[in-house]
Amino acid sequence: MTIRRSFISLAVAASLLGPVLAIAQAAAPAAPASTPPATQQAGFYRFSVGGVQVVALSDGTVPQDLHALLHLKPAQTDQLLARGFLANPVEASINAYLVYAGDRLVLVDTGAGAFFGPGAGGKLVASLKAVGVEPGQIQDVLITHIHTDHSGGLVDAQGERVFPNATIHVGKADVDFFLAPGNQQGVRGYDKAYFQQGTTALGPYVKSGQVRPFTGAVEIVPGIRSRPTPGHTPGHAFFVLQGKGGEAMEFIGDILHVQSVQMPRPDVTIVYDVVHHDAKAQRKQQFARLAKERRMVAAAHIPYPGVGYLRDEGKGKYAFVPVDYRYRAGE
């Protein structure tokens, strides 16, 4: 999917002790800062899947005009958004995930990089560094599909590789579609930007021999397998992380974009879908399976950190249930 574009610190009151009677006398509080901090903290959240450590990383958020993007009447969109206490335009999270897969550091998706301009995405490297990981330490990058907000972070603003030591794993059908020289001016009304930006992002890795396309359901790295889910793009894939004790998680890419709309209405497609009919069918199929299996998912565009479960609400409707938040010493 290609999408475009505080904490107020308080002064602590000091206490003054009287020299003889030791009576506490509170000082007048200092005036609050006139300007709040300009930036949020870099986003990361650690959790475990069957003993495998995973870190949800934020690449930032971007606004979306859903009236222009969804194949749904604006009034219907607004009605669904209102049920979720939202209004158009809606802020979309761009989430990526770091997996400590045995002795390998694996990154699932890379965010948008510099493609959307200042202030819109591009925070992944800062989020990585906040957890003590440098881009050069990443050994494998798993791309759910070649849309700019998933592959754009592969390169910096100058088009240089951000992950010089990583093997890039991506569905062969996406490589064949987005990187084909004959498709660089667009295909059947699908805008040329998708192709040109995808080629810019992956091109340096193709040149250096670091791209490893895959086909079908295969083990990408130990403990992580692909699950082909074409529709949104030809090579769109989930990645299935298998932990101990039967615990598992699926990184579900762009099977949905707008939780408040597409959970209750899986039939609603978006302009980013390459084949709308297939994207809709795939969403219905995967929602039903994930809900039935009670499978934990990590979603690219559900509000950060995007980790939780799908609950079947009946009559073809679903709801997202976020995982419990944990913040303990040593965890």
Side-chain angles (χ1 to χ4, degrees):
M1 145 187 168
T2 302
I3 39 185
R4 291 198 174 274
R5 2 189 252 230
S6 344
F7 301 103
I8 299 176
S9 59
L10 299 176
V12 179
S15 294
L16 300 177
L17 296 179
V20 178
L21 300 177
I23 299 175
Q25 184 179 24
S34 59
T35 304
T39 58
Q40 302 278 24
Q41 180 181 355
F44 66 90
Y45 176 60
R46 300 179 187 271
F47 58 99
S48 178
V49 179
V52 180
Q53 187 176 98
V54 181
V55 186
L57 301 167
S58 176
D59 188 55
T61 65
V62 291
Q64 294 191 102
D65 180 4
L66 300 183
H67 292 169
L69 296 175
L70 294 178
H71 295 122
L72 189 65
K73 292 180 179 179
Q76 293 176 297
T77 296
D78 290 344
Q79 185 178 32
L80 290 167
L81 290 177
R83 287 178 58 83
F85 298 90
L86 296 171
N88 192 59
V90 170
E91 202 74 9
S93 289
I94 307 177
N95 306 324
Y97 299 90
L98 177 68
V99 183
Y100 290 78
D103 61 352
R104 306 190 70 79
L105 278 176
V106 178
L107 184 63
V108 180
D109 285 335
T110 67
F115 281 93
F116 298 160
K123 297 176 174 59
L124 178 66
V125 170
S127 295
L128 270 174
K129 290 183 177 182
V131 297
V133 174
E134 293 292 330
Q137 295 176 266
I138 300 296
Q139 294 155 288
D140 298 274
V141 177
L142 282 53
I143 301 294
T144 56
H145 63 295
I146 305 179
H147 272 163
T148 311
D149 54 318
H150 298 260
S151 65
L154 287 170
V155 293
D156 61 20
Q158 290 72 45
E160 299 295 327
R161 293 172 300 159
V162 171
F163 305 100
N165 302 312
T167 299
I168 313 303
H169 306 268
V170 60
K172 184 177 184 299
D174 259 27
V175 173
D176 293 345
F177 183 62
F178 288 103
L179 273 58
N183 290 351
Q184 297 306 299
Q185 296 305 310
V187 176
R188 298 184 301 276
Y190 203 65
D191 194 270
K192 64 183 180 181
Y194 296 103
F195 303 91
Q196 294 175 358
Q197 292 175 359
T199 298
T200 297
L202 273 85
Y205 296 89
V206 173
K207 185 177 181 180
S208 62
Q210 292 172 260
V211 175
R212 186 176 298 173
F214 61 84
T215 301
V218 295
E219 186 172 65
I220 306 297
V221 298
I224 304 178
R225 298 182 62 85
S226 60
R227 183 189 296 276
T229 49
H232 178 60
T233 67
H236 188 280
F238 291 179
F239 295 109
V240 184
L241 168 63
Q242 187 67 55
K244 297 177 182 178
E247 285 192 46
M249 158 179 274
E250 297 193 24
F251 303 92
I252 62 175
D254 275 9
I255 198 69
L256 85 159
H257 299 82
V258 187
Q259 172 189 340
S260 295
V261 175
Q262 291 173 304
M263 284 287 184
R265 288 285 305 273
D267 60 304
V268 176
T269 58
I270 195 166
V271 296
Y272 312 130
D273 293 330
V274 174
V275 181
H276 295 274
H277 178 272
D278 292 350
K280 175 171 62 176
Q282 191 72 252
R283 181 163 40 256
K284 290 182 176 181
Q285 177 186 344
Q286 298 303 329
F287 277 13
R289 179 186 63 81
L290 292 166
K292 182 178 181 180
E293 295 178 0
R294 300 176 66 86
R295 179 63 55 89
M296 186 189 298
V297 302
H301 302 304
I302 284 179
Y304 179 83
V307 182
Y309 301 86
L310 274 70
R311 182 177 64 224
D312 190 336
E313 300 280 82
K315 298 182 179 180
K317 299 180 180 182
Y318 297 86
F320 181 72
V321 182
V323 294
D324 274 351
Y325 179 74
R326 298 173 68 92
Y327 185 25
R328 300 183 191 170
E331 292 194 21

Short mmCIF file of all heavy atoms in Angstrom, two decimals, residues 24-64:
data_model
loop_
_atom_site.label_atom_id
_atom_site.label_comp_id
_atom_site.label_asym_id
_atom_site.label_seq_id
_atom_site.Cartn_x
_atom_site.Cartn_y
_atom_site.Cartn_z
N ALA A 24 7.41 22.34 56.68
CA ALA A 24 7.51 22.27 55.22
C ALA A 24 6.73 23.41 54.61
O ALA A 24 5.56 23.61 54.93
CB ALA A 24 6.98 20.94 54.72
N GLN A 25 7.38 24.13 53.78
CA GLN A 25 6.72 25.25 53.11
C GLN A 25 6.88 25.06 51.61
O GLN A 25 7.98 25.12 51.09
CB GLN A 25 7.36 26.55 53.55
CG GLN A 25 6.68 27.80 52.98
CD GLN A 25 7.34 29.06 53.49
OE1 GLN A 25 8.50 29.03 53.87
NE2 GLN A 25 6.60 30.14 53.50
N ALA A 26 5.79 24.76 50.91
CA ALA A 26 5.87 24.44 49.48
C ALA A 26 6.20 25.68 48.67
O ALA A 26 5.61 26.73 48.87
CB ALA A 26 4.54 23.86 48.99
N ALA A 27 7.15 25.52 47.76
CA ALA A 27 7.49 26.63 46.86
C ALA A 27 6.45 26.70 45.77
O ALA A 27 5.80 25.72 45.41
CB ALA A 27 8.87 26.40 46.25
N ALA A 28 6.29 27.88 45.20
CA ALA A 28 5.36 28.03 44.07
C ALA A 28 5.88 27.23 42.88
O ALA A 28 7.08 27.25 42.59
CB ALA A 28 5.24 29.50 43.70
N PRO A 29 5.02 26.49 42.20
CA PRO A 29 5.49 25.68 41.07
C PRO A 29 5.97 26.56 39.93
O PRO A 29 5.43 27.63 39.68
CB PRO A 29 4.23 24.89 40.65
CG PRO A 29 3.09 25.72 41.13
CD PRO A 29 3.57 26.38 42.40
N ALA A 30 7.02 26.07 39.31
CA ALA A 30 7.54 26.81 38.15
C ALA A 30 6.54 26.73 37.01
O ALA A 30 5.75 25.80 36.91
CB ALA A 30 8.88 26.21 37.72
N ALA A 31 6.58 27.72 36.15
CA ALA A 31 5.67 27.73 35.00
C ALA A 31 6.00 26.59 34.05
O ALA A 31 7.16 26.23 33.88
CB ALA A 31 5.81 29.07 34.26
N PRO A 32 4.98 25.97 33.47
CA PRO A 32 5.25 24.88 32.53
C PRO A 32 5.95 25.41 31.29
O PRO A 32 5.88 26.59 30.96
CB PRO A 32 3.84 24.37 32.18
CG PRO A 32 2.95 25.54 32.44
CD PRO A 32 3.55 26.26 33.60
N ALA A 33 6.64 24.50 30.61
CA ALA A 33 7.33 24.89 29.38
C ALA A 33 6.33 25.44 28.39
O ALA A 33 5.23 24.93 28.24
CB ALA A 33 8.05 23.68 28.78
N SER A 34 6.71 26.52 27.72
CA SER A 34 5.79 27.16 26.79
C SER A 34 5.58 26.34 25.53
O SER A 34 4.54 26.44 24.88
CB SER A 34 6.30 28.56 26.42
OG SER A 34 7.59 28.46 25.82
N THR A 35 6.56 25.52 25.19
CA THR A 35 6.47 24.71 23.98
C THR A 35 6.71 23.25 24.32
O THR A 35 7.75 22.91 24.89
CB THR A 35 7.50 25.16 22.93
OG1 THR A 35 7.31 26.55 22.67
CG2 THR A 35 7.34 24.37 21.64
N PRO A 36 5.77 22.36 24.01
CA PRO A 36 5.97 20.94 24.31
C PRO A 36 7.05 20.36 23.41
O PRO A 36 7.40 20.95 22.38
CB PRO A 36 4.61 20.32 24.01
CG PRO A 36 3.99 21.23 23.01
CD PRO A 36 4.47 22.61 23.38
N PRO A 37 7.60 19.19 23.77
CA PRO A 37 8.61 18.55 22.92
C PRO A 37 8.10 18.37 21.50
O PRO A 37 6.93 18.09 21.27
CB PRO A 37 8.84 17.21 23.61
CG PRO A 37 8.46 17.44 25.03
CD PRO A 37 7.32 18.43 24.98
N ALA A 38 9.00 18.55 20.55
CA ALA A 38 8.59 18.51 19.14
C ALA A 38 8.42 17.11 18.60
O ALA A 38 7.76 16.91 17.58
CB ALA A 38 9.62 19.25 18.29
N THR A 39 9.00 16.11 19.26
CA THR A 39 8.93 14.75 18.73
C THR A 39 8.49 13.77 19.80
O THR A 39 8.67 14.00 21.00
CB THR A 39 10.30 14.29 18.19
OG1 THR A 39 11.26 14.36 19.26
CG2 THR A 39 10.76 15.17 17.04
N GLN A 40 7.92 12.65 19.36
CA GLN A 40 7.60 11.55 20.26
C GLN A 40 8.84 10.69 20.46
O GLN A 40 9.83 10.82 19.75
CB GLN A 40 6.49 10.69 19.64
CG GLN A 40 5.22 11.44 19.31
CD GLN A 40 4.31 11.62 20.52
OE1 GLN A 40 4.78 11.60 21.65
NE2 GLN A 40 3.04 11.82 20.28
N GLN A 41 8.77 9.79 21.42
CA GLN A 41 9.85 8.83 21.62
C GLN A 41 9.83 7.82 20.48
O GLN A 41 8.77 7.44 19.98
CB GLN A 41 9.66 8.10 22.94
CG GLN A 41 10.75 7.08 23.24
CD GLN A 41 10.49 6.36 24.56
OE1 GLN A 41 9.55 6.71 25.26
NE2 GLN A 41 11.31 5.39 24.89
N ALA A 42 11.00 7.37 20.05
CA ALA A 42 11.06 6.33 19.02
C ALA A 42 10.29 5.11 19.50
O ALA A 42 10.33 4.74 20.67
CB ALA A 42 12.52 5.95 18.75
N GLY A 43 9.53 4.48 18.60
CA GLY A 43 8.58 3.45 19.00
C GLY A 43 9.12 2.04 18.95
O GLY A 43 9.61 1.60 17.90
N PHE A 44 9.05 1.34 20.08
CA PHE A 44 9.33 -0.08 20.10
C PHE A 44 8.59 -0.73 21.25
O PHE A 44 8.35 -0.09 22.27
CB PHE A 44 10.84 -0.37 20.18
CG PHE A 44 11.48 0.06 21.48
CD1 PHE A 44 11.55 -0.81 22.56
CD2 PHE A 44 12.03 1.32 21.62
CE1 PHE A 44 12.15 -0.42 23.76
CE2 PHE A 44 12.63 1.72 22.81
CZ PHE A 44 12.68 0.85 23.88
N TYR A 45 8.23 -1.99 21.07
CA TYR A 45 7.54 -2.74 22.11
C TYR A 45 7.96 -4.20 22.01
O TYR A 45 7.75 -4.84 20.98
CB TYR A 45 6.02 -2.61 21.96
CG TYR A 45 5.26 -3.46 22.96
CD1 TYR A 45 5.41 -3.28 24.32
CD2 TYR A 45 4.38 -4.47 22.53
CE1 TYR A 45 4.73 -4.06 25.24
CE2 TYR A 45 3.69 -5.25 23.45
CZ TYR A 45 3.87 -5.04 24.80
OH TYR A 45 3.19 -5.83 25.70
N ARG A 46 8.56 -4.72 23.09
CA ARG A 46 9.05 -6.09 23.10
C ARG A 46 7.98 -7.05 23.62
O ARG A 46 7.25 -6.74 24.57
CB ARG A 46 10.28 -6.21 24.02
CG ARG A 46 11.47 -5.35 23.64
CD ARG A 46 12.59 -5.55 24.64
NE ARG A 46 13.70 -4.64 24.43
CZ ARG A 46 14.73 -4.89 23.63
NH1 ARG A 46 14.78 -6.03 22.96
NH2 ARG A 46 15.70 -4.01 23.51
N PHE A 47 7.93 -8.22 23.03
CA PHE A 47 7.06 -9.28 23.53
C PHE A 47 7.64 -10.61 23.07
O PHE A 47 8.65 -10.66 22.35
CB PHE A 47 5.61 -9.10 23.06
CG PHE A 47 5.44 -9.07 21.56
CD1 PHE A 47 5.02 -10.19 20.86
CD2 PHE A 47 5.68 -7.89 20.85
CE1 PHE A 47 4.87 -10.14 19.48
CE2 PHE A 47 5.51 -7.84 19.48
CZ PHE A 47 5.10 -8.96 18.80
N SER A 48 7.03 -11.70 23.52
CA SER A 48 7.57 -13.03 23.22
C SER A 48 6.51 -13.93 22.61
O SER A 48 5.34 -13.87 23.00
CB SER A 48 8.12 -13.67 24.52
OG SER A 48 8.61 -14.97 24.26
N VAL A 49 6.90 -14.72 21.65
CA VAL A 49 6.03 -15.71 21.03
C VAL A 49 6.69 -17.08 21.19
O VAL A 49 7.65 -17.40 20.49
CB VAL A 49 5.80 -15.41 19.53
CG1 VAL A 49 4.91 -16.48 18.91
CG2 VAL A 49 5.20 -14.03 19.34
N GLY A 50 6.21 -17.85 22.14
CA GLY A 50 6.79 -19.17 22.37
C GLY A 50 8.28 -19.12 22.61
O GLY A 50 9.03 -19.97 22.11
N GLY A 51 8.73 -18.15 23.39
CA GLY A 51 10.13 -18.03 23.72
C GLY A 51 10.97 -17.26 22.71
O GLY A 51 12.15 -17.02 22.95
N VAL A 52 10.37 -16.87 21.61
CA VAL A 52 11.08 -16.08 20.59
C VAL A 52 10.77 -14.61 20.83
O VAL A 52 9.60 -14.22 20.86
CB VAL A 52 10.64 -16.49 19.17
CG1 VAL A 52 11.38 -15.64 18.13
CG2 VAL A 52 10.89 -17.97 18.93
N GLN A 53 11.81 -13.81 20.99
CA GLN A 53 11.58 -12.39 21.23
C GLN A 53 11.26 -11.66 19.93
O GLN A 53 11.93 -11.84 18.92
CB GLN A 53 12.80 -11.74 21.89
CG GLN A 53 12.53 -10.29 22.31
CD GLN A 53 13.69 -9.66 23.06
OE1 GLN A 53 14.48 -8.94 22.47
NE2 GLN A 53 13.77 -9.94 24.36
N VAL A 54 10.21 -10.85 20.00
CA VAL A 54 9.80 -10.03 18.86
C VAL A 54 9.69 -8.59 19.36
O VAL A 54 9.31 -8.35 20.51
CB VAL A 54 8.43 -10.49 18.30
CG1 VAL A 54 8.02 -9.64 17.09
CG2 VAL A 54 8.48 -11.96 17.92
N VAL A 55 10.06 -7.64 18.52
CA VAL A 55 9.94 -6.24 18.86
C VAL A 55 9.12 -5.54 17.78
O VAL A 55 9.48 -5.56 16.60
CB VAL A 55 11.31 -5.54 18.98
CG1 VAL A 55 11.13 -4.11 19.49
CG2 VAL A 55 12.24 -6.32 19.89
N ALA A 56 8.00 -4.95 18.19
CA ALA A 56 7.22 -4.12 17.27
C ALA A 56 7.91 -2.78 17.15
O ALA A 56 8.25 -2.15 18.15
CB ALA A 56 5.80 -3.94 17.79
N LEU A 57 8.15 -2.35 15.92
CA LEU A 57 8.86 -1.10 15.65
C LEU A 57 7.94 -0.15 14.91
O LEU A 57 7.26 -0.54 13.96
CB LEU A 57 10.10 -1.38 14.79
CG LEU A 57 11.12 -2.34 15.38
CD1 LEU A 57 12.12 -2.75 14.31
CD2 LEU A 57 11.84 -1.70 16.56
N SER A 58 7.95 1.11 15.30
CA SER A 58 7.13 2.10 14.60
C SER A 58 7.97 2.85 13.58
O SER A 58 9.07 3.33 13.86
CB SER A 58 6.54 3.10 15.60
OG SER A 58 5.81 4.10 14.90
N ASP A 59 7.42 2.97 12.38
CA ASP A 59 8.01 3.81 11.34
C ASP A 59 7.28 5.15 11.28
O ASP A 59 7.51 5.95 10.38
CB ASP A 59 7.93 3.10 9.98
CG ASP A 59 8.71 3.84 8.90
OD1 ASP A 59 9.91 4.09 9.10
OD2 ASP A 59 8.12 4.17 7.85
N GLY A 60 6.37 5.38 12.22
CA GLY A 60 5.59 6.60 12.23
C GLY A 60 4.18 6.36 11.72
O GLY A 60 3.73 5.22 11.56
N THR A 61 3.47 7.45 11.48
CA THR A 61 2.10 7.37 10.97
C THR A 61 1.93 8.37 9.83
O THR A 61 2.71 9.31 9.68
CB THR A 61 1.06 7.70 12.07
OG1 THR A 61 1.22 9.07 12.48
CG2 THR A 61 1.21 6.78 13.27
N VAL A 62 0.89 8.13 9.05
CA VAL A 62 0.55 9.04 7.95
C VAL A 62 -0.97 9.16 7.86
O VAL A 62 -1.69 8.21 8.18
CB VAL A 62 1.11 8.56 6.59
CG1 VAL A 62 2.62 8.65 6.56
CG2 VAL A 62 0.66 7.14 6.30
N PRO A 63 -1.49 10.31 7.42
CA PRO A 63 -2.94 10.46 7.29
C PRO A 63 -3.45 9.85 5.99
O PRO A 63 -2.74 9.83 4.97
CB PRO A 63 -3.13 11.97 7.29
CG PRO A 63 -1.86 12.49 6.68
CD PRO A 63 -0.77 11.55 7.13
N GLN A 64 -4.67 9.33 6.01
CA GLN A 64 -5.29 8.77 4.83
C GLN A 64 -6.69 9.36 4.63
O GLN A 64 -7.50 9.35 5.56
CB GLN A 64 -5.44 7.25 4.97
CG GLN A 64 -4.15 6.47 5.01
CD GLN A 64 -4.42 5.00 4.87
OE1 GLN A 64 -4.25 4.41 3.83
NE2 GLN A 64 -4.88 4.39 5.94
#
